[in-house]
Amino acid sequence: MSAKNSAFALAAFALLATLSIIDIASSANRHDEDGDDGESRNSMNIQLGPRPFFLVNDMEPSALKNRLKHCGDGPFRKTDFSIGHRGAALQFPEHTKESYEAAARMGAGIVECDVTFTKDKELVCRHSQCDLHTTTNILATPLAEKCTRPFTPAQVDAAGNIIQEASAQCCTSDITVEEFKSLKGKMDAFNPAATSVAEYLGGTPNWRTDLYAGPTSGTLLTHKESIQLFKTLGVKMTPELKNASVTMPYDSDGDGVGDYTQAHYAQQMIDEYKAANVKPRNVYAQSFDIRDVRYWIANEPQFGKQAVYLDDANIVAELPNAAQLAAYKAEGINIVAPPMFALLDIDGNGNIVASRYARHAKAAGLDIITWTLERSGILADGNNDFYYQTFDSAIKREGDMMKVLDVLARDVGIRGIFSDWAATVSYYANCMKLK
């Protein structure tokens, strides 16, 4: 090769190397700015496992079943329609690293960290401030002595009847974040007849499993750690600010100076996304307390415009009426999230249909997210509890879960649904080409 050609080759190589470095830096910046790793989000090998196929095969013959069966070979991609409720809580200890990873692998495009705080005011992922006695191994550790209420064994009479259930109460606010991180997550359960801590920590329903709750798994996360994990997994984020179980302001000395108020708590959660360079469009902040949603709308409008107001109605009579739903929209709330029963009803022919609430919410211009699929165990035995209360008589088999999803998607027009097993929703969403 001539000197001239060698020089040209070296220059070309240098140019290619420079372009590669620029491209890598640009990708890193996109990741940091968006809070969303595009490569992870688009190219993760989504694996749905056998459950969605079992559910489709169990459906009664119908056009819907035929359509769902014909997309069984995929390919399957992440979808924002599928929201990982506490991760993949059907089989993995909720709000653990392993649970979040499972939800993302099953195609959840959005994953939830319920947010509460520790004694030293650090934010952590837990469904309730005071659930450590049923969701972690705290009672089997020296930290048990710091619990709000220590373990009390059940009182049982001579015939074996429970006179008083076993009890305990352990809160994140009882311990520091360092102590919190030393714990291991377990399936959320307890044995009310327990006479020992070991017995109390059992009680997992037989339709769930303890296979993924071993001593080397169940990794607990701070809120900041969940953000970094979700960025790596390429998923969007839906943190729920939990109601404090302690009196707010927290740790107050009565002079009102330096108190940890509800506003501080709500702002701290948003600040941790901003510090991690997560764009507001990738965060769906949630709360059951409308005052939190109003705070975000007023003080963090970019996050507030897609904040989610969770409806905590337990029965139909508690649901907001048309005027109330219109008032939500008027004050800047754009997304409501009621439980599934609020959105569904049964017509005169026994078919599942959109409810009055669903129609009123859409008429008000509100987007709808709902909860929670795959949280009620076996469906075919009836008596499917809270989530199915308005349409339970139409549920005859496990495959009817797909029929429920179809009505929610097509007739109600929800934009997403929380599920304890994301694969089920991901399968449906991919088949129906939902984003």
Side-chain angles (χ1 to χ4, degrees):
M1 180 182 292
S2 69
K4 182 177 180 180
N5 288 340
S6 296
F8 178 80
L10 286 172
F13 178 81
L15 177 60
L16 287 172
T18 301
L19 290 173
S20 296
I21 291 170
I22 291 171
D23 184 62
I24 291 168
S26 176
S27 296
N29 288 336
R30 286 196 300 271
H31 177 106
D32 288 342
E33 290 173 2
D34 292 347
D36 174 23
D37 184 334
E39 183 176 354
S40 294
R41 185 170 178 78
N42 294 325
S43 65
M44 176 181 280
N45 181 18
I46 301 304
Q47 300 174 11
L48 301 186
R51 181 159 178 78
F53 303 90
F54 160 77
L55 293 172
V56 172
N57 286 334
D58 189 61
M59 295 175 69
E60 291 180 330
S62 66
L64 175 61
K65 179 175 182 175
N66 290 338
R67 179 167 181 179
L68 292 174
K69 283 181 72 71
H70 275 94
C71 64
D73 291 334
F76 299 106
R77 297 179 176 85
K78 264 192 186 114
T79 166
D80 290 352
F81 189 80
S82 181
I83 307 172
H85 183 240
R86 314 183 200 178
L90 179 65
Q91 294 195 7
F92 287 80
E94 62 188 45
H95 293 306
T96 61
K97 177 176 180 285
E98 294 80 6
S99 186
Y100 293 147
E101 290 172 337
R105 179 61 69 186
M106 290 188 286
I110 306 173
V111 181
E112 178 190 45
C113 165
D114 288 329
V115 178
T116 188
F117 58 86
T118 59
K119 185 176 182 179
D120 46 352
K121 306 183 189 72
E122 292 292 331
L123 302 184
V124 296
C125 298
R126 245 359 42 210
H127 180 247
S128 167
Q129 189 163 40
C130 294
D131 71 4
L132 297 182
H133 50 288
T134 63
T135 64
T136 76
N137 65 337
I138 190 170
L139 290 176
T141 76
L143 292 174
E145 64 186 27
K146 296 190 175 186
C147 290
T148 297
R149 289 201 314 270
F151 170 71
T152 301
Q155 295 181 23
V156 183
D157 64 20
N161 299 311
I162 300 175
I163 301 172
Q164 183 173 326
E165 291 188 354
S167 66
Q169 186 180 53
C170 304
C171 307
T172 58
S173 51
D174 292 333
I175 57 178
T176 67
V177 68
E178 182 178 2
E179 291 168 330
F180 172 83
K181 286 286 293 174
S182 72
L183 301 175
K184 289 293 183 182
K186 60 178 281 293
M187 295 301 286
D188 184 11
F190 74 99
N191 178 1
T195 57
S196 68
V197 165
E199 290 178 349
Y200 184 82
L201 293 176
T204 301
N206 60 12
W207 46 273
R208 289 185 168 170
T209 181
D210 290 316
L211 278 175
Y212 306 108
T216 59
S217 56
T219 308
L220 303 192
L221 298 178
T222 66
H223 179 238
K224 292 176 184 176
E225 289 172 333
S226 78
I227 293 171
Q228 293 306 317
L229 175 63
F230 295 164
K231 289 175 72 172
T232 300
L233 294 173
V235 298
K236 295 178 182 178
M237 311 167 198
T238 183
E240 180 190 332
L241 195 74
K242 303 303 296 188
N243 290 331
S245 298
V246 295
T247 301
M248 299 293 277
Y250 175 63
D251 201 22
S252 174
D253 57 9
D255 64 4
V257 178
D259 291 347
Y260 189 66
T261 65
Q262 185 68 24
H264 288 138
Y265 178 30
Q267 185 63 52
Q268 182 182 0
M269 188 182 86
I270 299 300
D271 284 346
E272 293 192 352
Y273 289 97
K274 293 165 73 175
N277 294 319
V278 179
K279 286 193 172 181
R281 67 168 180 252
N282 291 330
V283 180
Y284 297 85
Q286 318 167 68
S287 181
F288 280 105
D289 190 333
I290 198 169
R291 293 170 296 181
D292 295 331
V293 179
R294 287 169 175 157
Y295 175 87
W296 295 321
I297 291 170
N299 296 279
E300 292 287 352
Q302 292 304 305
F303 288 89
K305 68 183 179 182
Q306 64 178 33
V308 180
Y309 178 41
L310 296 160
D311 196 315
D312 61 351
N314 288 305
I315 56 174
V316 172
E318 295 175 350
L319 293 170
N321 58 32
Q324 290 170 309
L325 290 167
Y328 293 162
K329 182 66 177 180
E331 65 175 302
I333 296 172
N334 294 313
I335 307 174
V336 291
M340 289 194 305
F341 81 80
L343 300 173
L344 300 175
D345 206 344
I346 299 176
D347 67 13
N349 297 317
N351 300 310
I352 302 172
V353 296
S355 70
R356 180 182 302 174
Y357 173 103
R359 297 193 300 273
H360 287 163
K362 279 298 181 182
L366 293 164
D367 282 348
I368 304 171
I369 292 171
T370 192
W371 44 279
T372 303
L373 206 70
E374 293 281 27
R375 196 164 178 81
S376 301
I378 303 297
L379 299 182
D381 60 4
N383 299 315
N384 292 308
D385 66 43
F386 175 82
Y387 300 102
Y388 291 78
Q389 60 184 277
T390 55
F391 58 98
D392 201 14
S393 62
I395 303 299
K396 307 296 184 184
R397 54 202 305 143
E398 306 312 307
D400 285 342
M401 194 181 305
M402 288 301 189
K403 184 165 62 176
V404 170
L405 261 179
D406 193 57
V407 176
L408 287 169
R410 289 175 177 272
D411 299 342
V412 176
I414 61 171
R415 64 182 290 170
I417 182 170
F418 286 90
S419 176
D420 277 12
W421 201 245
T424 300
V425 179
S426 298
Y427 184 100
Y428 175 87
N430 273 268
C431 285
M432 299 301 174
K433 303 188 184 308
L434 304 177
K435 293 184 179 180

Short mmCIF file of all heavy atoms in Angstrom, two decimals, residues 305-353:
data_model
loop_
_atom_site.label_atom_id
_atom_site.label_comp_id
_atom_site.label_asym_id
_atom_site.label_seq_id
_atom_site.Cartn_x
_atom_site.Cartn_y
_atom_site.Cartn_z
N LYS A 305 -49.58 16.78 34.50
CA LYS A 305 -50.54 16.62 33.41
C LYS A 305 -50.82 15.17 33.09
O LYS A 305 -51.83 14.87 32.44
CB LYS A 305 -50.08 17.38 32.17
CG LYS A 305 -48.84 16.83 31.49
CD LYS A 305 -48.46 17.73 30.31
CE LYS A 305 -47.21 17.25 29.62
NZ LYS A 305 -46.83 18.16 28.50
N GLN A 306 -49.97 14.24 33.51
CA GLN A 306 -50.32 12.83 33.36
C GLN A 306 -50.26 12.09 34.70
O GLN A 306 -50.04 10.89 34.75
CB GLN A 306 -49.46 12.14 32.31
CG GLN A 306 -47.99 12.03 32.56
CD GLN A 306 -47.31 11.27 31.41
OE1 GLN A 306 -47.71 11.34 30.25
NE2 GLN A 306 -46.29 10.49 31.74
N ALA A 307 -50.50 12.85 35.77
CA ALA A 307 -50.67 12.22 37.08
C ALA A 307 -51.98 11.45 37.09
O ALA A 307 -52.95 11.82 36.41
CB ALA A 307 -50.67 13.27 38.18
N VAL A 308 -52.02 10.38 37.85
CA VAL A 308 -53.15 9.46 37.85
C VAL A 308 -53.87 9.53 39.19
O VAL A 308 -53.27 9.31 40.25
CB VAL A 308 -52.67 8.00 37.61
CG1 VAL A 308 -53.86 7.05 37.60
CG2 VAL A 308 -51.88 7.91 36.31
N TYR A 309 -55.17 9.86 39.13
CA TYR A 309 -55.97 9.86 40.36
C TYR A 309 -56.61 8.50 40.53
O TYR A 309 -57.46 8.09 39.74
CB TYR A 309 -57.03 10.96 40.31
CG TYR A 309 -57.91 10.97 41.53
CD1 TYR A 309 -57.38 10.76 42.81
CD2 TYR A 309 -59.28 11.18 41.43
CE1 TYR A 309 -58.19 10.77 43.94
CE2 TYR A 309 -60.10 11.20 42.54
CZ TYR A 309 -59.54 10.98 43.80
OH TYR A 309 -60.36 10.98 44.92
N LEU A 310 -56.20 7.80 41.55
CA LEU A 310 -56.70 6.46 41.85
C LEU A 310 -58.00 6.56 42.63
O LEU A 310 -58.08 7.26 43.65
CB LEU A 310 -55.67 5.68 42.65
CG LEU A 310 -54.34 5.40 41.94
CD1 LEU A 310 -53.25 5.09 42.95
CD2 LEU A 310 -54.50 4.24 40.97
N ASP A 311 -59.01 5.86 42.16
CA ASP A 311 -60.31 5.86 42.85
C ASP A 311 -60.35 4.69 43.82
O ASP A 311 -60.15 3.54 43.42
CB ASP A 311 -61.43 5.72 41.83
CG ASP A 311 -62.78 6.10 42.40
OD1 ASP A 311 -63.07 5.68 43.53
OD2 ASP A 311 -63.53 6.82 41.73
N ASP A 312 -60.59 4.98 45.09
CA ASP A 312 -60.55 3.92 46.10
C ASP A 312 -61.94 3.41 46.49
O ASP A 312 -62.14 2.86 47.58
CB ASP A 312 -59.81 4.38 47.35
CG ASP A 312 -60.48 5.57 48.03
OD1 ASP A 312 -61.42 6.14 47.44
OD2 ASP A 312 -60.05 5.95 49.14
N ALA A 313 -62.92 3.56 45.60
CA ALA A 313 -64.27 3.06 45.88
C ALA A 313 -64.25 1.55 46.11
O ALA A 313 -63.54 0.82 45.41
CB ALA A 313 -65.20 3.40 44.73
N ASN A 314 -65.01 1.10 47.08
CA ASN A 314 -65.12 -0.33 47.37
C ASN A 314 -66.38 -0.95 46.80
O ASN A 314 -66.46 -2.16 46.62
CB ASN A 314 -65.07 -0.57 48.88
CG ASN A 314 -63.68 -0.33 49.44
OD1 ASN A 314 -62.72 -0.93 48.99
ND2 ASN A 314 -63.58 0.56 50.42
N ILE A 315 -67.39 -0.12 46.55
CA ILE A 315 -68.65 -0.58 45.99
C ILE A 315 -69.14 0.45 44.98
O ILE A 315 -68.66 1.60 44.96
CB ILE A 315 -69.73 -0.80 47.07
CG1 ILE A 315 -69.94 0.47 47.90
CG2 ILE A 315 -69.37 -1.97 47.98
CD1 ILE A 315 -71.07 0.39 48.90
N VAL A 316 -70.11 0.08 44.16
CA VAL A 316 -70.62 0.97 43.12
C VAL A 316 -71.14 2.28 43.71
O VAL A 316 -70.94 3.36 43.14
CB VAL A 316 -71.72 0.26 42.31
CG1 VAL A 316 -72.38 1.23 41.35
CG2 VAL A 316 -71.15 -0.92 41.54
N ALA A 317 -71.80 2.21 44.86
CA ALA A 317 -72.42 3.40 45.45
C ALA A 317 -71.40 4.47 45.79
O ALA A 317 -71.76 5.65 45.93
CB ALA A 317 -73.20 3.00 46.70
N GLU A 318 -70.13 4.10 45.92
CA GLU A 318 -69.09 5.07 46.29
C GLU A 318 -68.46 5.74 45.08
O GLU A 318 -67.65 6.66 45.23
CB GLU A 318 -68.00 4.37 47.10
CG GLU A 318 -68.46 3.84 48.44
CD GLU A 318 -67.37 3.05 49.17
OE1 GLU A 318 -66.32 2.76 48.54
OE2 GLU A 318 -67.57 2.72 50.35
N LEU A 319 -68.82 5.31 43.88
CA LEU A 319 -68.18 5.85 42.68
C LEU A 319 -68.64 7.28 42.39
O LEU A 319 -69.80 7.63 42.63
CB LEU A 319 -68.51 4.96 41.48
CG LEU A 319 -67.91 3.55 41.50
CD1 LEU A 319 -68.52 2.71 40.39
CD2 LEU A 319 -66.40 3.62 41.36
N PRO A 320 -67.76 8.12 41.87
CA PRO A 320 -68.16 9.48 41.52
C PRO A 320 -69.17 9.50 40.37
O PRO A 320 -69.15 8.63 39.50
CB PRO A 320 -66.83 10.14 41.11
CG PRO A 320 -65.93 9.02 40.73
CD PRO A 320 -66.33 7.86 41.60
N ASN A 321 -70.04 10.50 40.39
CA ASN A 321 -71.05 10.61 39.34
C ASN A 321 -70.50 11.43 38.17
O ASN A 321 -69.34 11.86 38.18
CB ASN A 321 -72.34 11.21 39.89
CG ASN A 321 -72.11 12.59 40.52
OD1 ASN A 321 -71.24 13.35 40.08
ND2 ASN A 321 -72.89 12.92 41.54
N ALA A 322 -71.34 11.66 37.18
CA ALA A 322 -70.91 12.36 35.97
C ALA A 322 -70.39 13.75 36.27
O ALA A 322 -69.38 14.19 35.71
CB ALA A 322 -72.06 12.41 34.97
N ALA A 323 -71.08 14.47 37.15
CA ALA A 323 -70.67 15.83 37.48
C ALA A 323 -69.31 15.85 38.17
O ALA A 323 -68.48 16.72 37.90
CB ALA A 323 -71.73 16.50 38.37
N GLN A 324 -69.07 14.89 39.06
CA GLN A 324 -67.79 14.83 39.75
C GLN A 324 -66.65 14.50 38.78
O GLN A 324 -65.56 15.07 38.87
CB GLN A 324 -67.85 13.79 40.87
CG GLN A 324 -68.72 14.19 42.04
CD GLN A 324 -68.95 13.05 43.02
OE1 GLN A 324 -69.35 11.95 42.61
NE2 GLN A 324 -68.70 13.29 44.29
N LEU A 325 -66.91 13.59 37.85
CA LEU A 325 -65.89 13.23 36.86
C LEU A 325 -65.57 14.43 35.97
O LEU A 325 -64.40 14.68 35.64
CB LEU A 325 -66.36 12.04 36.03
CG LEU A 325 -66.43 10.70 36.78
CD1 LEU A 325 -67.20 9.67 35.97
CD2 LEU A 325 -65.03 10.18 37.09
N ALA A 326 -66.60 15.17 35.58
CA ALA A 326 -66.36 16.37 34.78
C ALA A 326 -65.57 17.40 35.56
O ALA A 326 -64.73 18.12 35.00
CB ALA A 326 -67.71 16.95 34.32
N ALA A 327 -65.81 17.47 36.88
CA ALA A 327 -65.07 18.42 37.72
C ALA A 327 -63.59 18.05 37.82
O ALA A 327 -62.73 18.93 37.87
CB ALA A 327 -65.70 18.46 39.12
N TYR A 328 -63.29 16.75 37.83
CA TYR A 328 -61.88 16.32 37.82
C TYR A 328 -61.17 16.89 36.60
O TYR A 328 -60.09 17.46 36.69
CB TYR A 328 -61.77 14.79 37.78
CG TYR A 328 -62.24 14.05 38.99
CD1 TYR A 328 -62.53 12.69 38.92
CD2 TYR A 328 -62.41 14.68 40.22
CE1 TYR A 328 -62.97 11.97 40.02
CE2 TYR A 328 -62.85 13.98 41.34
CZ TYR A 328 -63.13 12.62 41.23
OH TYR A 328 -63.56 11.92 42.32
N LYS A 329 -61.80 16.72 35.44
CA LYS A 329 -61.20 17.19 34.19
C LYS A 329 -61.02 18.70 34.21
O LYS A 329 -59.99 19.22 33.76
CB LYS A 329 -62.07 16.76 33.01
CG LYS A 329 -61.51 17.14 31.65
CD LYS A 329 -60.22 16.40 31.34
CE LYS A 329 -59.73 16.74 29.93
NZ LYS A 329 -58.47 16.03 29.60
N ALA A 330 -62.00 19.40 34.76
CA ALA A 330 -61.95 20.86 34.78
C ALA A 330 -60.80 21.38 35.61
O ALA A 330 -60.27 22.47 35.33
CB ALA A 330 -63.28 21.40 35.31
N GLU A 331 -60.39 20.64 36.64
CA GLU A 331 -59.30 21.13 37.47
C GLU A 331 -57.93 20.61 37.02
O GLU A 331 -56.93 20.82 37.70
CB GLU A 331 -59.54 20.78 38.94
CG GLU A 331 -59.56 19.32 39.30
CD GLU A 331 -59.67 19.11 40.82
OE1 GLU A 331 -58.80 19.61 41.57
OE2 GLU A 331 -60.63 18.44 41.25
N GLY A 332 -57.88 19.93 35.88
CA GLY A 332 -56.60 19.54 35.31
C GLY A 332 -56.22 18.09 35.47
O GLY A 332 -55.12 17.69 35.08
N ILE A 333 -57.09 17.27 36.05
CA ILE A 333 -56.83 15.84 36.15
C ILE A 333 -57.19 15.21 34.80
O ILE A 333 -58.30 15.40 34.30
CB ILE A 333 -57.66 15.20 37.28
CG1 ILE A 333 -57.23 15.76 38.63
CG2 ILE A 333 -57.50 13.67 37.27
CD1 ILE A 333 -58.12 15.35 39.80
N ASN A 334 -56.26 14.47 34.22
CA ASN A 334 -56.48 13.90 32.90
C ASN A 334 -56.66 12.38 32.89
O ASN A 334 -57.17 11.84 31.92
CB ASN A 334 -55.31 14.26 31.98
CG ASN A 334 -55.24 15.75 31.69
OD1 ASN A 334 -56.26 16.36 31.38
ND2 ASN A 334 -54.06 16.34 31.82
N ILE A 335 -56.20 11.73 33.96
CA ILE A 335 -56.28 10.27 34.00
C ILE A 335 -56.89 9.84 35.33
O ILE A 335 -56.41 10.24 36.41
CB ILE A 335 -54.89 9.62 33.86
CG1 ILE A 335 -54.16 10.14 32.62
CG2 ILE A 335 -55.03 8.10 33.77
CD1 ILE A 335 -52.73 9.65 32.49
N VAL A 336 -57.91 9.00 35.27
CA VAL A 336 -58.47 8.38 36.47
C VAL A 336 -58.21 6.88 36.42
O VAL A 336 -58.09 6.30 35.34
CB VAL A 336 -59.99 8.65 36.61
CG1 VAL A 336 -60.25 10.11 36.91
CG2 VAL A 336 -60.75 8.21 35.36
N ALA A 337 -58.12 6.28 37.58
CA ALA A 337 -57.83 4.85 37.65
C ALA A 337 -58.72 4.19 38.70
O ALA A 337 -58.34 4.05 39.86
CB ALA A 337 -56.36 4.61 37.97
N PRO A 338 -59.92 3.78 38.30
CA PRO A 338 -60.80 3.05 39.20
C PRO A 338 -60.53 1.55 39.13
O PRO A 338 -59.87 1.08 38.19
CB PRO A 338 -62.19 3.37 38.63
CG PRO A 338 -61.94 3.43 37.16
CD PRO A 338 -60.56 4.04 37.00
N PRO A 339 -61.03 0.77 40.09
CA PRO A 339 -60.92 -0.68 39.99
C PRO A 339 -61.77 -1.22 38.84
O PRO A 339 -62.69 -0.54 38.36
CB PRO A 339 -61.43 -1.17 41.35
CG PRO A 339 -62.30 -0.06 41.85
CD PRO A 339 -61.71 1.20 41.31
N MET A 340 -61.48 -2.45 38.40
CA MET A 340 -62.17 -3.02 37.24
C MET A 340 -63.67 -3.03 37.39
O MET A 340 -64.41 -2.78 36.43
CB MET A 340 -61.68 -4.45 36.98
CG MET A 340 -60.29 -4.58 36.45
SD MET A 340 -59.94 -6.24 35.80
CE MET A 340 -60.35 -7.30 37.20
N PHE A 341 -64.17 -3.31 38.60
CA PHE A 341 -65.62 -3.45 38.76
C PHE A 341 -66.34 -2.16 38.43
O PHE A 341 -67.51 -2.16 38.03
CB PHE A 341 -65.97 -3.91 40.19
CG PHE A 341 -65.97 -2.82 41.23
CD1 PHE A 341 -67.05 -1.97 41.37
CD2 PHE A 341 -64.89 -2.66 42.08
CE1 PHE A 341 -67.06 -0.97 42.33
CE2 PHE A 341 -64.89 -1.66 43.04
CZ PHE A 341 -65.98 -0.81 43.16
N ALA A 342 -65.66 -1.01 38.58
CA ALA A 342 -66.29 0.28 38.31
C ALA A 342 -66.57 0.48 36.83
O ALA A 342 -67.45 1.25 36.46
CB ALA A 342 -65.38 1.40 38.82
N LEU A 343 -65.83 -0.23 35.99
CA LEU A 343 -65.90 0.01 34.55
C LEU A 343 -66.77 -0.99 33.80
O LEU A 343 -67.05 -0.79 32.61
CB LEU A 343 -64.49 -0.04 33.95
CG LEU A 343 -63.50 0.99 34.50
CD1 LEU A 343 -62.11 0.73 33.96
CD2 LEU A 343 -63.96 2.41 34.17
N LEU A 344 -67.20 -2.06 34.48
CA LEU A 344 -67.92 -3.13 33.81
C LEU A 344 -69.26 -3.43 34.47
O LEU A 344 -69.42 -3.26 35.68
CB LEU A 344 -67.06 -4.39 33.77
CG LEU A 344 -65.71 -4.27 33.04
CD1 LEU A 344 -64.91 -5.55 33.19
CD2 LEU A 344 -65.92 -3.92 31.57
N ASP A 345 -70.18 -3.90 33.68
CA ASP A 345 -71.51 -4.28 34.15
C ASP A 345 -72.00 -5.43 33.29
O ASP A 345 -71.29 -5.89 32.38
CB ASP A 345 -72.45 -3.07 34.05
CG ASP A 345 -73.60 -3.14 35.05
OD1 ASP A 345 -73.84 -4.24 35.59
OD2 ASP A 345 -74.26 -2.11 35.27
N ILE A 346 -73.22 -5.89 33.53
CA ILE A 346 -73.81 -6.97 32.74
C ILE A 346 -75.12 -6.48 32.14
O ILE A 346 -75.95 -5.87 32.84
CB ILE A 346 -74.07 -8.22 33.62
CG1 ILE A 346 -72.75 -8.73 34.19
CG2 ILE A 346 -74.74 -9.31 32.81
CD1 ILE A 346 -72.92 -9.89 35.15
N ASP A 347 -75.33 -6.73 30.85
CA ASP A 347 -76.59 -6.32 30.22
C ASP A 347 -77.67 -7.37 30.43
O ASP A 347 -77.45 -8.39 31.11
CB ASP A 347 -76.38 -6.01 28.73
CG ASP A 347 -76.03 -7.25 27.91
OD1 ASP A 347 -76.18 -8.38 28.41
OD2 ASP A 347 -75.61 -7.07 26.74
N GLY A 348 -78.83 -7.16 29.84
CA GLY A 348 -79.97 -8.06 30.03
C GLY A 348 -79.75 -9.45 29.48
O GLY A 348 -80.48 -10.38 29.85
N ASN A 349 -78.75 -9.61 28.62
CA ASN A 349 -78.46 -10.93 28.06
C ASN A 349 -77.28 -11.62 28.74
O ASN A 349 -76.82 -12.67 28.27
CB ASN A 349 -78.16 -10.78 26.56
CG ASN A 349 -79.35 -10.27 25.78
OD1 ASN A 349 -80.48 -10.71 26.00
ND2 ASN A 349 -79.12 -9.32 24.89
N GLY A 350 -76.82 -11.03 29.83
CA GLY A 350 -75.72 -11.65 30.57
C GLY A 350 -74.35 -11.36 29.99
O GLY A 350 -73.37 -12.02 30.37
N ASN A 351 -74.25 -10.38 29.10
CA ASN A 351 -72.97 -10.03 28.50
C ASN A 351 -72.27 -8.95 29.31
O ASN A 351 -72.92 -8.05 29.86
CB ASN A 351 -73.17 -9.52 27.07
CG ASN A 351 -73.82 -10.54 26.17
OD1 ASN A 351 -73.38 -11.69 26.12
ND2 ASN A 351 -74.87 -10.14 25.47
N ILE A 352 -70.93 -9.00 29.36
CA ILE A 352 -70.16 -7.98 30.04
C ILE A 352 -70.10 -6.74 29.14
O ILE A 352 -69.76 -6.83 27.96
CB ILE A 352 -68.73 -8.47 30.34
CG1 ILE A 352 -68.78 -9.74 31.20
CG2 ILE A 352 -67.92 -7.39 31.06
CD1 ILE A 352 -67.43 -10.41 31.39
N VAL A 353 -70.44 -5.58 29.72
CA VAL A 353 -70.49 -4.33 28.95
C VAL A 353 -69.87 -3.20 29.76
O VAL A 353 -69.61 -3.34 30.96
CB VAL A 353 -71.95 -3.97 28.59
CG1 VAL A 353 -72.56 -5.01 27.66
CG2 VAL A 353 -72.80 -3.80 29.86
#
